[in-house]
Amino acid sequence: MAWKVVDRNEAIVEAEGPALLSDAVREKIRSFFDRYETKRAALLPALHIVQDTLGHIPHQGMMEIAGLLEIHPSDVIDTVSFYTHFWTHPKGKKIITVCRSVSCEVMGGEAVLNEFKKQLGIGEHETTPDGKYSLVTEECLANCDHAPCVLINEKRHEGVKPENVAAILADPNNDRVTMERSTLFDAPGDSKARDSAQ
Amino acid sequence: MAAYEPVLLRNKGVENSTALKVYESRGGYQALRKALKMNPEEVVEEVKRANLRGRGGAGFPAGVKWGFLPKDRTVTYLCVNSDESEPPTFSNRVLIEIDPHMLVEGTIITAYATRAQVAYIYMRVEFHEQFHILQKAIDEAYAAGYLGSKVLGSDFALECYIHRGAGAYVCGEETGLIESIEGKRGCPRIKPPFPAVEGLFYKPTVVNNVETLCNVPHIIERGADWFTGIGPQHSTGPKLFCISGPVNKPGCYEGAMDITVRDLIEREDMGGGMLPGKKVKGVLPGGVSVGILTADELDMKMDFQDPAKYGLLGLGTAAAVVIDQDTDMRSVLRNMARFYGTESCGQCTQCREGTAWMHTIARRIEADGGRIEDLDIIAETARSMGMMPGLSICGLSDGATYPLETIVKKFHSELEESIRAQSPTETDALAGAVGH
Ligand SMILES: Cc1cc2nc3c(=O)[nH]c(=O)nc-3n(C[C@H](O)[C@H](O)[C@H](O)COP(=O)(O)O)c2cc1C
Ligand code: SF4
Ligand code: FES
């Protein structure tokens, strides 16, 4: 039997179905190309945009980004796998990030984490069954003057005590910053779409 | 003591301080106008004379670094390090929240001095509000003609972009940061070549910290002599200090580098003393990576020279966290070990394995499964990694060495006592059970 030689350096991108990334998302990613010398350098922005839009970065999303940036899919996977802020599987709508670094720990951060675990009924790196919350820990959030601190999506919660956790969870805007925003990575129509989804 | 006049935080408390109009009304962008009338080389020379030492941790003189750029270069990049990932440091955050235009102005002047055409501000992704504040300032600066193809009508052109990170401590290291902007894993590069010669997209690149660049407009405006007149020799200029932990007024304060750790904790205009009932057990005075001080060592000066006398790596980020007497040193040891263990990028064997094993051992000690010799093993492991013995690519592993070794050394008796107080059955059960 003769060997069939396959060129492994060629990207083998098999379309898995209709395009996942909308034209608007593709356009937004392309708008970053001018900023850098290489298209690959638009990868972090691209991943942020896709994750903000879809909630995570699925395999097909990585393939499509590779196509847009004209790089090998494995380069995209390589980068995605390095950063804690990118995830390839769905997480909750709101990500609760509890700081675990030294100032927050000294100021009682662990008790806050435990209270979140208790009230949500989940452990670290887990998501509530209703898909509303995921709970993670992170190293220092550079907010140590307000330790212990917690980030819910974009919003900082400062000086959190275990007895504050219930009120934080009850607040529907616990992940929202109240300021004029730049739209750089926001999903198109983001806040309105999310409001109606809730 | 003469009252210190704030420079970097001079707009703290000013209403709407992030707005361009307010910044301009308080003298903002005058330094840029002045710089544009000078040659780029003269700007570099002034910053060199000021001996502005980098505020990002290593303390390398900024003007000297800019002087390393090859003379015949055609493309130059400027990367502004706003990764601020070193626990417990938050001074860059405070600067951006109060005075984003000071950073933008410093960035523009530095780009002019180094002939950079593009500036990337690498910002950690957890900075959301700060991102929106800074982006708005950049937009305003473009609209006012401070950025763009003709800066203030001159031939100097500069584009400025924020590049958001994605959660990795090591991306604060300058070459990890460069790799991350290029869209890759944030794995630091082997040096040399240094970024000044071969940096972003393999072009000459300058990487500077946010606070370093915020000093630049003031140096240009008031001159190098003014700058060197502040603080002790070798450690001149205004400096931000962070204090956190159980003190009355945790926060970011400004002063000359003539204050001591005790001042930072106790002065009324700084930390304001310990919370009622709390006593200092130890202090990590310069970010975690420089090592720890005992309660007897609080007279250490927060400058570039004194920390070495206390066995520390350096001034670091000048961000102190107080460990109080109610905190078990075993948990601090474990916290440090976990940080470096999970943040090591894994390229260098000593760093990857060393930090992971120290974490394993520190967890074992904390879980009442320690052995006396574990303390020696941690110290020895710490000593056998790092750039200084030439065993690793970046300074993360040196940063791991100092806190772990100094905690084990300076708090040896406490740790030893805790280990001796364990019940033997628990020791046996846990010693083997705690893996990675
Ligand atoms: C592991 C590691 C993390 C670092 N993190 C930061 C950081 O978050 N911010 C920063 O300005 N410098 C950081 N540095 C230092 C940078 O490598 C570099 O020295 C600095 O940005 C240069 O700027 P400066 O000369 O203005 O201080 C880090 C270094 C190491 C080894
Ligand atoms: S010292 Fe550690 S973090 Fe730095 S390059 Fe080596 S493995 Fe990576
Ligand atoms: S230690 Fe928690 S924010 Fe810095």
Side-chain angles (χ1 to χ4, degrees):
Chain A
M1 189 187 90
W3 294 105
K4 196 175 160 204
V5 180
V6 178
D7 183 356
R8 297 282 176 199
N9 285 326
E10 277 297 302
I12 307 170
V13 183
E14 286 174 32
E16 292 181 6
L20 191 63
L21 306 183
S22 68
D23 288 342
V25 165
R26 284 163 190 271
E27 208 35 63
K28 203 162 178 178
I29 293 173
R30 282 196 203 97
S31 75
F32 280 80
F33 288 176
D34 289 347
R35 296 184 169 204
Y36 309 99
E37 239 187 80
T38 65
K39 279 189 184 165
R40 180 173 183 168
L43 182 51
L44 258 59
L47 294 169
H48 278 300
I49 292 166
V50 170
Q51 182 159 291
D52 276 2
T53 312
L54 303 176
H56 68 293
I57 306 168
H59 188 249
Q60 196 185 332
M62 289 193 254
M63 305 284 260
E64 291 183 22
I65 291 174
L68 264 173
L69 270 54
E70 294 168 35
I71 55 178
H72 201 281
S74 66
D75 290 334
V76 180
I77 295 168
D78 189 49
T79 297
V80 168
S81 63
F82 182 80
Y83 296 93
T84 49
H85 189 76
F86 294 135
W87 37 89
T88 54
H89 296 278
K91 284 201 181 188
K93 273 206 186 65
K94 298 181 183 180
I95 317 277
I96 303 176
T97 308
V98 182
C99 175
R100 65 180 185 185
S101 277
V102 57
S103 300
C104 288
E105 181 165 340
V106 168
M107 297 304 285
E110 201 172 337
V112 175
L113 175 65
N114 288 336
E115 192 60 28
F116 272 112
K117 284 182 183 167
K118 200 172 102 192
Q119 297 206 12
L120 294 170
I122 55 174
E124 214 177 312
H125 297 296
E126 290 181 0
T127 302
T128 53
D130 62 2
K132 202 164 167 191
Y133 287 110
S134 291
L135 184 62
V136 298
T137 56
E138 247 307 348
E139 299 298 348
C140 183
L141 303 170
N143 212 33
C144 334
D145 44 346
H146 302 291
C149 71
V150 173
L151 198 64
I152 304 187
N153 290 353
E154 297 211 340
K155 190 171 163 78
R156 290 182 283 175
H157 295 268
E158 305 181 330
V160 181
K161 297 188 183 66
E163 54 268 32
N164 306 139
V165 168
I168 290 174
L169 289 175
D171 173 10
N173 289 325
N174 57 11
D175 66 331
R176 213 62 71 74
V177 287
T178 51
M179 64 183 301
E180 206 187 317
R181 314 199 37 193
S182 154
T183 57
L184 213 46
F185 294 141
D186 300 349
D190 160 82
S191 51
K192 282 200 191 74
R194 275 191 336 174
D195 280 343
S196 56
Q198 262 165 29
Chain B
M1 202 194 306
Y4 177 86
E5 177 217 333
V7 177
L8 300 169
L9 298 182
R10 66 175 177 178
N11 291 333
K12 186 178 176 178
V14 171
E15 199 186 335
N16 221 355
S17 64
T18 60
L20 175 62
K21 286 249 157 351
V22 176
Y23 183 69
E24 283 174 332
S25 75
R26 299 178 59 80
Y29 288 107
Q30 291 306 324
L32 174 61
R33 288 173 203 277
K34 186 170 172 190
L36 291 178
K37 294 200 188 100
M38 302 160 70
N39 290 329
E41 290 72 27
E42 286 169 351
V43 179
V44 175
E45 205 45 47
E46 195 68 13
V47 174
K48 242 187 222 171
R49 277 210 315 122
N51 191 22
L52 166 60
R53 297 181 61 169
R55 282 13 183 181
F60 194 81
V64 176
K65 178 148 68 182
W66 304 350
F68 290 154
L69 292 163
K71 295 277 169 289
D72 58 350
R73 68 192 186 278
T74 48
V75 178
T76 313
Y77 289 112
L78 171 61
C79 298
V80 183
N81 196 338
S82 176
D83 194 48
E84 188 138 89
S85 43
E86 175 83 16
T89 311
F90 48 88
S91 41
N92 291 180
R93 186 202 93 219
V94 168
L95 276 172
I96 292 168
E97 284 174 354
I98 296 176
D99 227 338
H101 279 287
M102 196 186 281
L103 174 59
V104 175
E105 187 177 6
T107 302
I108 302 170
I109 297 173
T110 304
Y112 176 72
T114 57
R115 301 180 190 276
Q117 298 95 334
V118 188
Y120 297 100
I121 301 176
Y122 189 96
M123 185 180 266
R124 59 177 306 168
V125 69
E126 294 84 356
F127 279 175
H128 294 289
E129 284 156 274
Q130 296 78 9
F131 164 73
H132 296 301
I133 292 170
L134 189 60
Q135 185 61 48
K136 185 159 164 269
I138 292 171
D139 294 345
E140 284 179 329
Y142 268 108
Y146 296 124
L147 282 168
S149 55
K150 286 192 173 307
V151 173
L152 284 173
S154 71
D155 293 339
F156 168 52
L158 178 66
E159 301 296 332
C160 179
Y161 305 115
I162 301 179
H163 186 97
R164 300 185 77 176
Y169 170 58
V170 75
C171 289
E173 198 276 344
E174 52 188 7
T175 55
L177 180 151
I178 285 169
E179 289 279 304
S180 185
I181 296 182
E182 290 183 4
K184 304 173 190 160
R185 304 165 80 87
C187 290
R189 292 180 185 166
I190 295 174
K191 291 162 284 254
F194 288 95
V197 177
E198 208 178 276
L200 184 60
F201 305 118
Y202 298 92
K203 305 286 183 347
T205 301
V206 166
V207 184
N208 272 126
N209 171 262
V210 166
E211 188 183 334
T212 310
L213 294 193
C214 282
N215 277 290
V216 172
H218 302 289
I219 292 172
I220 297 308
E221 204 176 313
R222 306 203 209 181
D225 294 333
W226 160 80
F227 193 86
T228 51
I230 299 172
Q233 218 190 349
H234 302 300
S235 302
T236 56
K239 182 76 192 85
L240 297 182
F241 304 98
C242 299
I243 174 85
S244 60
V247 295
N248 284 309
K249 295 190 299 172
C252 175
Y253 301 99
E254 183 178 341
M257 285 180 259
D258 56 5
I259 65 162
T260 63
V261 178
R262 194 187 309 281
D263 288 336
L264 185 56
I265 297 171
E266 287 180 358
R267 256 167 60 168
E268 267 318 303
D269 57 347
M270 294 187 163
M274 296 294 287
L275 287 175
K278 292 286 185 186
K279 266 174 49 194
V280 180
K281 180 189 267 186
V283 178
L284 291 147
V288 288
S289 298
V290 302
I292 200 164
L293 297 173
T294 66
D296 297 330
E297 297 175 322
L298 303 185
D299 292 321
M300 186 195 93
K301 292 209 185 65
M302 297 288 283
D303 66 16
F304 286 111
Q305 298 206 318
D306 218 31
K309 293 185 200 145
Y310 296 82
L312 305 187
L313 178 58
L315 178 63
T317 57
V321 52
V322 181
I323 315 291
D324 62 273
Q325 87 283 7
D326 301 326
T327 304
D328 189 338
M329 263 304 151
R330 295 182 297 174
S331 69
V332 179
L333 186 74
R334 181 262 307 138
N335 194 308
M336 298 293 109
R338 182 198 53 217
F339 177 66
Y340 298 103
T342 52
E343 297 297 328
S344 164
C345 83
Q347 288 187 101
C348 319
T349 311
Q350 276 80 358
C351 173
R352 180 185 65 238
E353 297 299 313
T355 54
W357 277 107
M358 288 193 292
H359 183 202
T360 301
I361 296 168
R363 278 162 64 196
R364 178 164 76 200
I365 294 172
E366 190 185 26
D368 265 356
R371 311 160 195 162
I372 299 296
E373 63 267 30
D374 282 348
L375 301 177
D376 293 337
I377 296 173
I378 287 184
E380 195 185 318
T381 311
R383 268 197 302 276
S384 58
M385 48 190 229
M387 276 173 93
M388 308 227 227
L391 291 169
S392 64
I393 295 173
C394 91
L396 183 141
S397 45
D398 303 270
T401 299
Y402 277 81
L404 285 151
E405 199 183 348
T406 51
I407 290 173
V408 168
K409 203 166 125 198
K410 297 187 183 183
F411 292 89
H412 201 281
S413 55
E414 179 189 330
L415 293 167
E416 201 178 317
E417 233 169 78
S418 310
I419 293 172
R420 291 203 196 282
Q422 294 161 184
S423 60
T425 42
E426 266 178 307
T427 310
D428 293 343
L430 279 154
V434 183
H436 268 245

